[in-house]
Amino acid sequence: MSGALIRIAAMALKELRVVLLDRRVLTTLVISPVIQLILFGFATTLEVRNIDLGMVNRDTGVASERFVAAVAAVANVRSIHPYPNEAALVEAIEQRKVLGGLLIPPDLSARVERQDPAEIGLLLDGRRINAAQIVSGYVGEIAAQTGATLRSDGAPAAPQIAVRHWYNANLEFRWFTLPGMITLITTVLVLSVSVQAIARERESGTWDELMALPMRHWEILAGKCVPAFCVGLFNGGLYVAIIPLVSDVPFNGSLGLMLLAIASFSLAVTAIGLSISTLAQNQQQAFLGGFLVIVPMMLLSGYASPVDSMPAWLQPAARIDPLSHMLVVCHGLFLKAMPATMVFEQIWPMLAVAGVALILAVGLLKWRSE
Amino acid sequence: MAEAPLLRLTDVTKRFKGLRRGAAPVQALRGISLSLSPGRSLGLVGPDAGGKTTLMRILAGLVEADSGEVEVLGAPVALLDRSLIGYMPQGGALYAELSVEQNLTLYARLRGLEPSENPERMELLYRATGLAPFMDRAVSRLSGGMRQKLALACAVVAAPPLMLLDEPSVGVDPVSRREIWDLAQELAGTGSSIVWTTSILEDAGKCDEVLLLHEGRVLYAGAPEGLAGQASGRTFARALPPWHRRAALQEVLERPDVISATIAGSNLRAVCRGEAALQGEGWASAEPSAEDGFSLILDDGRPLEPSALAAAFPLRESNPDLPAIAAIGLTRHYGAFTAAQDVSFTVHPGEIFGLLGPNGAGKSTTFRMLSGLLTPSSGRGTVAGRDLTTARAEAREAMGYMPQKFSLYGDLSVEANLRFVAGAYGLKGAAARVAVDRVVGALALQPFLSAMAGLLPLGIKQRLALGAAVLHTPPVLFLDEPTSGVDPLVRREFWHHINAIAARGTAVLVTTHFMDEAENCDRLLLINRSEAIAQGTPDDLKRLVPLEHGEPTLEQAFIALIEAQHLAENEAA
Amino acid sequence: MSWRDPSAVRRAAAIRTKEWAQVWRDPSTFGLVVLMPLILMVLFGNAVSLDVRGTRLGIVDQDHTAASRALVDSLRHNRYFALREGPSLAGLEPGLTNGTLRGIAVIPDGFEQGMVRQPPRDVQLITDGSQVNTATFLTGHLRGALRDWVEARAREAGQGGGPVLSIVPRYSYNPGLESRYMLVPGAIGIVMAMIGSLLTALIMAREYERGTMEGLLSTPVSIPALVLSKLAPYYVLGLASTGICVLVAVYGYGLPFRGSIFALFLIASAFLAAVLGQGLLISAATKNQFVSTQFALLSGFLPSLLLSGFLFEIDSMPRAIQWLTYIVPARYLIPPLQSVFLVGDVWSLFVPNILILCGFGAFFFLRVTRAIKRRIA
């Protein structure tokens, strides 16, 4: 057995040298991911801020005045431009100068005066559907509130929703994105390293030499796991250290559990990458193959949109995606102080994926080296 | 007024950055001056890392000299009209996944020759190179000789006035090697000039002029005959006894007054140092060759020491009942094509067994089946008594393997490569260090220890590959063209090691294209057209050929046996 | 180099032919060109959806009255929620921690009484704040659901009680609020960015790695011709991929295509010029396939996904990052691309964006020709 260990260690050391000795590789593996983490972590927000709206106001009364003032007072609304008519507003939307516009009818104040239901048109840019919906929600809420203050019939007050947001009381978006980015960036790095492991040998003609050495297939793969795994563990750990430094995102959970989860996750992604690598004839194929799985894994992870909203036939695919489990752990340990039992519930599936993918890789390697 | 010279270099120097950060710069050329008249050919020879490739790249305008003047075709090289040169980089610049035709068409059109408008020229190229039947075959599936011919054709496709060919005859069998030379002459057309680098002095001898480069300096410039003349009076030969040929060679080689010795047919030849002369035992003066002159010029004055590589090998007893290598009816089919048909032989401990044959004959296929890289379609092979089909990893532990193409890691240092291979053979810690140090010392790899293996000159790569194969002192050694691309002095050294290793009881299976190396083997197997056509000692093989003008050389026997098979097959068909 | 020189034109053609031959020989290229658009279209058409539905909501009814039962029932039939009822807040809390619940609503004791006798008692909602977007949507949806339920109840009871002021939103270009309308054009941008920067990131580096660059450089081919000829096949492949995407978008997902093919062609060409140049520059500068793919991923694909404004509003980003988006070519692609599908030919929007993209292309091209010197290291 010690012979196998020596061989695996030799392979691992060689792979680490190949991957890490090039200074440019080191740059792409350490510095740029950190920049990405921060850049994208702060950039990706589904919040809508700095909204520019348009308005065609035909009403001169008090109701429209109060309503518009209330809309303008919303922190996320940057400006409200008046337009002379609807056509001008439509053109402004078309050219993306404003996200949408209020169309206030001439009889608004009069109707409110009479306590008749009054409607305000809101024209929104359907190309930016997410922002548009959120704005529609804001404006609807303001209309209801303004309406209530203008009401004089003394109808009974209705119950409201009193909301508290746990783990992230102010719903800061970066509290979601920064921990989530750990998963995404680690995936990209680990997969792009592991996917080259076998393909590089084939392309550069070193495969023959390797096959003539007394190494078993599983020993080769075990050695080749090491660099990608280390890259994942190192980068993942680095991000966990950096995030609390560069932002106000707290880390509430156990660091040991976090590292354990990162290790399991890196292993799973490494194993997937190795399976692809055994099939590739050259680096281009390996890279493109890796890419063919990176994108679906990212989109199914639940980061871009919740798994619950996906169609039922896609949800099982999301459940075997190691990213979906790692995301739960990242958010859980950063924000929720997730207990160990719950973390392990997410770690087992990742290890299962790793095991299956490694067995598959050994099988494929045997098959391909005949 | 005299015609402007084709090439004129005045005091050209070039240094490169060190291969690692902080390393001292490498002085590749230290003041080269030369002049070549139109229509003349120039052979560039010299030890590896002597500056040959750098000089070629300077001539092709791919590397800029640091100082000195470079004029090519009568103009400074910066203004060179590239359509007037045909440059073949080392190993060729072929697209392996594309077909022969696609490669040749690409280079033809890049060099301004439209294939459809010049059908005669294209036909000539295909016919002369013998590639016509393989036009649609991917380059990756061509044999080494075919590939070199194609690379040559790509370089000279437009019959340029100046051809720059960097090692065009590496790894090519003797017949094809001669063909490549003739091919270059034929394809170039009249009035063209060739500059050709080679590690084979015999090839350089065909050029009008020879330039010997060593450590960036010119050590000899002039006619090839002059190179041989350097060794006149210092070359001796004597007849060899039919047995213990290698022992006799080793003995001469280790004499302090001998620079180099080789087996040539039934003779032993030696070049002597200084005023020493070999006398008695049948020694007589011999006609010097260019190779002898080369050895003499590059002699460092140090006698060859007993091989430190071999000293580490344990002494292994020969057991006639247990062959070290056994091939039993090895056959390999690729679809309808049979790459090797029913090849059988055995190699005993302490024996050097040579596989000979033209490029593409099936040598490599046989070799790869025996080293466990290729599963035979039928038949089986054993190495050190371990079956390759059932105990592949165990069999591999017992062998050292040096592939034909450099297959170590180009982006790792020499030291890292050796460390890896040592570990892969299960050598750990101190044992690995000792093994690596031994190989580095014995093969003079010290100066290159931290250099990236991929950037090394061909000959140094071969040394590294040999070192990697013997790190774990295996009982069986597989060497696939170990000396292709290394200069004559290193070739002598390699064989000195191989002979000494075999003398310790290691079985060596070797392929080679050099007949003097084949003479060094105990037994030979000649493979052609996928079949074993002759087996026996070098003398046995020579005896298979009818004697017309005395004893044939091994090369003549080789050619005659191949032709006999072709004749027989054609008659059968 | 003169384009009137027939041999220069031939040399360029020879390289183009060679690139095509290499593309044909390697099936992985077609995998990227055909498979990737299809996978992305399926995923962006199905997996990614910005309308949050089926959110797992825990509910605790402490009131146990007819009113509270009625409210729970109405929530159960609401498509925005997947309801799980629990006896107490404490019993449901772990679900919030392990992510099986995104929120817990508590209908307080005295809920029904409060509605009748005033003041009303509010429904408590606790959300999983780690999922910011889901929490926001959950809050909004629950508010709306409660308001609707109160109004419906008032109408049944014969009371007027409707809101005095309300909003009638209209979504131009996308009245059905299909998030596909927004995502699918974005996905096309991603496909183009990938084919552009990733495939080309490999092609120059490969020539260096395999030693064929030495052969090419020793021939009379000029460097601009070499660069342009190498790009040509990938430009065509990029357009082909775009075509596949557009077909899937229009015939598979029923997206309108209100602009002209010509406008789409111009937009796609300008964007491809920029990203192909970007990939080639990376490739020529790094001379190493692994490093160049890393750079291409990190500087090409991810910014196109995250900083182009297709998923995440640029206006909402921090100011410094907003400035940074100006150097992301995809930023200039997404608005015209969305418009050509949903609005029509808005040339006043297209022309400036196309010009900027062409500027990127020209810049990268100049840098590439300077990066490839006729020198072998």
Side-chain angles (χ1 to χ4, degrees), chain B residues 238 240-241 244-250 253 260-270 495 499 514-521 538-539 542 554:
Chain B
R238 75 170 166 99
L240 261 180
H244 300 310
R245 291 154 59 110
R246 281 210 308 275
L249 174 69
Q250 290 294 91
L253 265 176
S260 171
T262 49
I263 296 173
S266 54
N267 286 328
L268 182 63
R269 283 171 52 96
W495 277 96
N499 287 338
F514 295 100
M515 288 305 142
D516 56 332
E517 296 182 358
E519 295 270 14
N520 227 330
C521 297
D539 288 338
K542 287 177 213 163
L554 193 53

Tab-separated table of all heavy atoms in Angstrom, chain B residues 238 240-241 244-250 253 260-270 495 499 514-521 538-539 542 554:
chain	number	residue	atom	x	y	z
B	238	ARG	N	40.593	-2.269	-36.274
B	238	ARG	CA	41.057	-3.653	-36.263
B	238	ARG	C	39.848	-4.569	-36.386
B	238	ARG	O	38.697	-4.152	-36.112
B	238	ARG	CB	41.841	-3.968	-34.991
B	238	ARG	CG	41.013	-4.146	-33.728
B	238	ARG	CD	41.911	-4.704	-32.617
B	238	ARG	NE	41.291	-4.596	-31.314
B	238	ARG	CZ	40.663	-5.617	-30.727
B	238	ARG	NH1	40.536	-6.776	-31.335
B	238	ARG	NH2	40.154	-5.459	-29.517
B	240	LEU	N	37.223	-7.416	-35.486
B	240	LEU	CA	36.610	-7.783	-34.207
B	240	LEU	C	36.399	-9.286	-34.154
B	240	LEU	O	36.014	-9.895	-35.154
B	240	LEU	CB	35.245	-7.122	-34.081
B	240	LEU	CG	35.128	-5.847	-33.272
B	240	LEU	CD1	33.686	-5.393	-33.313
B	240	LEU	CD2	35.582	-6.052	-31.852
B	241	PRO	N	36.625	-9.876	-32.991
B	241	PRO	CA	36.226	-11.275	-32.874
B	241	PRO	C	34.702	-11.345	-32.908
B	241	PRO	O	34.039	-10.395	-32.480
B	241	PRO	CB	36.760	-11.672	-31.495
B	241	PRO	CG	36.861	-10.375	-30.736
B	241	PRO	CD	37.134	-9.320	-31.741
B	244	HIS	N	32.012	-11.494	-27.861
B	244	HIS	CA	32.461	-10.439	-26.944
B	244	HIS	C	32.773	-9.134	-27.671
B	244	HIS	O	33.714	-8.449	-27.352
B	244	HIS	CB	33.719	-10.893	-26.177
B	244	HIS	CG	33.482	-12.116	-25.368
B	244	HIS	ND1	32.414	-12.227	-24.505
B	244	HIS	CD2	34.143	-13.297	-25.291
B	244	HIS	CE1	32.440	-13.419	-23.930
B	244	HIS	NE2	33.468	-14.098	-24.394
B	245	ARG	N	31.993	-8.835	-28.666
B	245	ARG	CA	32.226	-7.598	-29.417
B	245	ARG	C	32.077	-6.378	-28.518
B	245	ARG	O	32.863	-5.446	-28.566
B	245	ARG	CB	31.217	-7.495	-30.564
B	245	ARG	CG	31.453	-8.530	-31.645
B	245	ARG	CD	30.159	-8.848	-32.387
B	245	ARG	NE	29.587	-7.665	-32.999
B	245	ARG	CZ	29.562	-7.480	-34.319
B	245	ARG	NH1	30.083	-8.369	-35.127
B	245	ARG	NH2	29.003	-6.416	-34.837
B	246	ARG	N	31.012	-6.416	-27.692
B	246	ARG	CA	30.764	-5.235	-26.847
B	246	ARG	C	31.845	-5.057	-25.795
B	246	ARG	O	32.250	-3.951	-25.493
B	246	ARG	CB	29.398	-5.360	-26.193
B	246	ARG	CG	28.276	-5.014	-27.117
B	246	ARG	CD	27.124	-4.463	-26.343
B	246	ARG	NE	26.742	-5.318	-25.248
B	246	ARG	CZ	25.921	-6.354	-25.357
B	246	ARG	NH1	25.401	-6.654	-26.535
B	246	ARG	NH2	25.618	-7.081	-24.319
B	247	ALA	N	32.292	-6.184	-25.250
B	247	ALA	CA	33.320	-6.085	-24.216
B	247	ALA	C	34.576	-5.454	-24.814
B	247	ALA	O	35.211	-4.591	-24.200
B	247	ALA	CB	33.620	-7.467	-23.659
B	248	ALA	N	34.903	-5.856	-26.052
B	248	ALA	CA	36.074	-5.287	-26.713
B	248	ALA	C	35.906	-3.791	-26.920
B	248	ALA	O	36.824	-3.001	-26.703
B	248	ALA	CB	36.298	-5.997	-28.046
B	249	LEU	N	34.709	-3.401	-27.314
B	249	LEU	CA	34.427	-1.985	-27.544
B	249	LEU	C	34.580	-1.193	-26.244
B	249	LEU	O	35.227	-0.152	-26.187
B	249	LEU	CB	33.018	-1.824	-28.108
B	249	LEU	CG	32.520	-0.383	-28.256
B	249	LEU	CD1	33.295	0.338	-29.344
B	249	LEU	CD2	31.037	-0.354	-28.571
B	250	GLN	N	33.963	-1.722	-25.180
B	250	GLN	CA	34.009	-1.029	-23.893
B	250	GLN	C	35.459	-0.839	-23.443
B	250	GLN	O	35.840	0.207	-22.957
B	250	GLN	CB	33.270	-1.833	-22.811
B	250	GLN	CG	31.764	-1.874	-22.981
B	250	GLN	CD	31.110	-0.513	-22.801
B	250	GLN	OE1	30.946	0.212	-23.772
B	250	GLN	NE2	30.748	-0.174	-21.571
B	253	LEU	N	37.053	1.891	-25.412
B	253	LEU	CA	36.458	3.194	-25.079
B	253	LEU	C	37.013	3.765	-23.784
B	253	LEU	O	37.152	4.977	-23.638
B	253	LEU	CB	34.938	3.045	-24.935
B	253	LEU	CG	34.102	3.350	-26.162
B	253	LEU	CD1	32.648	3.068	-25.876
B	253	LEU	CD2	34.280	4.796	-26.588
B	260	SER	N	36.984	8.193	-29.040
B	260	SER	CA	35.726	7.604	-29.443
B	260	SER	C	35.993	6.289	-30.162
B	260	SER	O	37.040	6.139	-30.797
B	260	SER	CB	34.980	8.573	-30.376
B	260	SER	OG	33.868	7.938	-30.926
B	261	ALA	N	35.065	5.361	-30.027
B	261	ALA	CA	35.220	4.098	-30.740
B	261	ALA	C	33.848	3.591	-31.142
B	261	ALA	O	32.870	3.822	-30.442
B	261	ALA	CB	35.922	3.073	-29.846
B	262	THR	N	33.788	2.935	-32.290
B	262	THR	CA	32.516	2.390	-32.763
B	262	THR	C	32.756	1.049	-33.406
B	262	THR	O	33.884	0.726	-33.801
B	262	THR	CB	31.866	3.309	-33.841
B	262	THR	OG1	32.860	3.618	-34.807
B	262	THR	CG2	31.327	4.570	-33.240
B	263	ILE	N	31.668	0.265	-33.516
B	263	ILE	CA	31.745	-0.972	-34.274
B	263	ILE	C	31.276	-0.648	-35.679
B	263	ILE	O	30.203	-0.080	-35.877
B	263	ILE	CB	30.848	-2.057	-33.651
B	263	ILE	CG1	31.357	-2.406	-32.250
B	263	ILE	CG2	30.800	-3.290	-34.542
B	263	ILE	CD1	30.443	-3.330	-31.484
B	264	ALA	N	32.093	-0.949	-36.677
B	264	ALA	CA	31.716	-0.715	-38.070
B	264	ALA	C	31.855	-2.032	-38.805
B	264	ALA	O	32.963	-2.482	-39.063
B	264	ALA	CB	32.607	0.352	-38.678
B	265	GLY	N	30.739	-2.666	-39.075
B	265	GLY	CA	30.799	-3.969	-39.707
B	265	GLY	C	31.527	-4.935	-38.799
B	265	GLY	O	31.210	-5.051	-37.619
B	266	SER	N	32.527	-5.562	-39.323
B	266	SER	CA	33.265	-6.518	-38.492
B	266	SER	C	34.510	-5.879	-37.901
B	266	SER	O	35.349	-6.551	-37.350
B	266	SER	CB	33.644	-7.739	-39.338
B	266	SER	OG	34.337	-7.289	-40.486
B	267	ASN	N	34.601	-4.555	-38.045
B	267	ASN	CA	35.766	-3.858	-37.509
B	267	ASN	C	35.415	-3.013	-36.296
B	267	ASN	O	34.273	-2.579	-36.126
B	267	ASN	CB	36.368	-2.930	-38.565
B	267	ASN	CG	37.107	-3.727	-39.620
B	267	ASN	OD1	37.673	-4.791	-39.325
B	267	ASN	ND2	37.073	-3.237	-40.848
B	268	LEU	N	36.448	-2.772	-35.517
B	268	LEU	CA	36.343	-1.819	-34.424
B	268	LEU	C	37.170	-0.611	-34.827
B	268	LEU	O	38.333	-0.744	-35.193
B	268	LEU	CB	36.912	-2.469	-33.157
B	268	LEU	CG	36.866	-1.673	-31.867
B	268	LEU	CD1	35.425	-1.394	-31.474
B	268	LEU	CD2	37.539	-2.460	-30.748
B	269	ARG	N	36.545	0.561	-34.772
B	269	ARG	CA	37.270	1.786	-35.151
B	269	ARG	C	37.463	2.657	-33.927
B	269	ARG	O	36.608	2.720	-33.059
B	269	ARG	CB	36.461	2.592	-36.169
B	269	ARG	CG	36.479	2.060	-37.586
B	269	ARG	CD	35.453	2.830	-38.404
B	269	ARG	NE	35.680	4.270	-38.257
B	269	ARG	CZ	36.390	4.987	-39.124
B	269	ARG	NH1	36.920	4.423	-40.169
B	269	ARG	NH2	36.567	6.277	-38.934
B	270	ALA	N	38.576	3.364	-33.891
B	270	ALA	CA	38.817	4.243	-32.748
B	270	ALA	C	39.558	5.487	-33.203
B	270	ALA	O	40.321	5.465	-34.167
B	270	ALA	CB	39.630	3.514	-31.685
B	495	TRP	N	25.617	4.776	-25.638
B	495	TRP	CA	25.856	3.345	-25.836
B	495	TRP	C	26.835	2.791	-24.824
B	495	TRP	O	26.759	1.633	-24.448
B	495	TRP	CB	26.283	3.058	-27.278
B	495	TRP	CG	25.054	2.959	-28.118
B	495	TRP	CD1	24.503	3.933	-28.863
B	495	TRP	CD2	24.191	1.831	-28.210
B	495	TRP	NE1	23.343	3.505	-29.432
B	495	TRP	CE2	23.120	2.200	-29.060
B	495	TRP	CE3	24.186	0.539	-27.680
B	495	TRP	CZ2	22.072	1.336	-29.375
B	495	TRP	CZ3	23.149	-0.330	-28.010
B	495	TRP	CH2	22.105	0.073	-28.842
B	499	ASN	N	25.532	-0.380	-22.922
B	499	ASN	CA	26.343	-1.609	-22.902
B	499	ASN	C	26.680	-2.014	-21.475
B	499	ASN	O	26.611	-3.195	-21.113
B	499	ASN	CB	27.633	-1.402	-23.692
B	499	ASN	CG	27.359	-1.358	-25.189
B	499	ASN	OD1	26.337	-1.874	-25.655
B	499	ASN	ND2	28.257	-0.749	-25.944
B	514	PHE	N	20.379	3.574	-36.679
B	514	PHE	CA	21.792	3.661	-36.981
B	514	PHE	C	22.379	2.262	-37.038
B	514	PHE	O	22.236	1.477	-36.102
B	514	PHE	CB	22.511	4.472	-35.899
B	514	PHE	CG	22.083	5.899	-35.861
B	514	PHE	CD1	21.166	6.329	-34.923
B	514	PHE	CD2	22.583	6.821	-36.770
B	514	PHE	CE1	20.756	7.641	-34.884
B	514	PHE	CE2	22.175	8.132	-36.735
B	514	PHE	CZ	21.266	8.544	-35.796
B	515	MET	N	23.057	1.986	-38.128
B	515	MET	CA	23.568	0.630	-38.323
B	515	MET	C	24.721	0.315	-37.375
B	515	MET	O	24.902	-0.820	-36.964
B	515	MET	CB	24.002	0.442	-39.768
B	515	MET	CG	22.833	0.368	-40.702
B	515	MET	SD	21.664	-0.930	-40.200
B	515	MET	CE	20.109	-0.147	-40.581
B	516	ASP	N	25.515	1.346	-37.026
B	516	ASP	CA	26.609	1.048	-36.097
B	516	ASP	C	26.031	0.677	-34.734
B	516	ASP	O	26.604	-0.106	-33.985
B	516	ASP	CB	27.581	2.232	-35.990
B	516	ASP	CG	26.896	3.517	-35.586
B	516	ASP	OD1	25.697	3.660	-35.882
B	516	ASP	OD2	27.548	4.379	-34.972
B	517	GLU	N	24.856	1.218	-34.396
B	517	GLU	CA	24.217	0.848	-33.144
B	517	GLU	C	23.646	-0.569	-33.229
B	517	GLU	O	23.691	-1.332	-32.265
B	517	GLU	CB	23.100	1.841	-32.797
B	517	GLU	CG	23.641	3.243	-32.549
B	517	GLU	CD	22.558	4.231	-32.157
B	517	GLU	OE1	21.377	3.833	-32.117
B	517	GLU	OE2	22.903	5.387	-31.889
B	518	ALA	N	23.112	-0.883	-34.415
B	518	ALA	CA	22.562	-2.228	-34.600
B	518	ALA	C	23.678	-3.268	-34.448
B	518	ALA	O	23.469	-4.351	-33.903
B	518	ALA	CB	21.894	-2.341	-35.968
B	519	GLU	N	24.867	-2.903	-34.905
B	519	GLU	CA	26.011	-3.817	-34.763
B	519	GLU	C	26.321	-4.099	-33.297
B	519	GLU	O	26.921	-5.096	-32.948
B	519	GLU	CB	27.261	-3.192	-35.416
B	519	GLU	CG	27.161	-3.010	-36.903
B	519	GLU	CD	27.656	-4.232	-37.678
B	519	GLU	OE1	27.810	-5.298	-37.047
B	519	GLU	OE2	27.867	-4.112	-38.897
B	520	ASN	N	25.937	-3.180	-32.470
B	520	ASN	CA	26.176	-3.265	-31.043
B	520	ASN	C	25.254	-4.263	-30.345
B	520	ASN	O	25.456	-4.603	-29.194
B	520	ASN	CB	25.932	-1.881	-30.449
B	520	ASN	CG	27.036	-1.478	-29.521
B	520	ASN	OD1	27.652	-2.325	-28.910
B	520	ASN	ND2	27.275	-0.199	-29.422
B	521	CYS	N	24.186	-4.664	-31.041
B	521	CYS	CA	23.187	-5.526	-30.408
B	521	CYS	C	23.625	-6.984	-30.498
B	521	CYS	O	24.337	-7.384	-31.419
B	521	CYS	CB	21.837	-5.377	-31.111
B	521	CYS	SG	21.176	-3.714	-30.992
B	538	PRO	N	23.815	-9.878	-35.774
B	538	PRO	CA	24.126	-9.058	-36.949
B	538	PRO	C	24.794	-9.879	-38.040
B	538	PRO	O	24.472	-9.726	-39.223
B	538	PRO	CB	25.066	-7.995	-36.378
B	538	PRO	CG	24.694	-7.878	-34.947
B	538	PRO	CD	24.263	-9.239	-34.519
B	539	ASP	N	25.697	-10.771	-37.661
B	539	ASP	CA	26.372	-11.572	-38.673
B	539	ASP	C	25.413	-12.539	-39.363
B	539	ASP	O	25.506	-12.769	-40.564
B	539	ASP	CB	27.545	-12.330	-38.041
B	539	ASP	CG	28.692	-11.376	-37.709
B	539	ASP	OD1	28.740	-10.287	-38.335
B	539	ASP	OD2	29.507	-11.700	-36.830
B	542	LYS	N	23.607	-10.696	-42.009
B	542	LYS	CA	24.434	-10.439	-43.188
B	542	LYS	C	24.559	-11.686	-44.043
B	542	LYS	O	24.581	-11.613	-45.262
B	542	LYS	CB	25.833	-9.965	-42.749
B	542	LYS	CG	25.841	-8.554	-42.204
B	542	LYS	CD	27.233	-8.193	-41.725
B	542	LYS	CE	27.158	-7.246	-40.531
B	542	LYS	NZ	28.422	-7.185	-39.807
B	554	LEU	N	25.836	-4.155	-42.747
B	554	LEU	CA	24.513	-4.416	-42.187
B	554	LEU	C	23.443	-3.613	-42.926
B	554	LEU	O	22.337	-4.073	-43.149
B	554	LEU	CB	24.527	-4.056	-40.698
B	554	LEU	CG	23.340	-4.547	-39.878
B	554	LEU	CD1	23.124	-6.042	-40.050
B	554	LEU	CD2	23.537	-4.202	-38.406
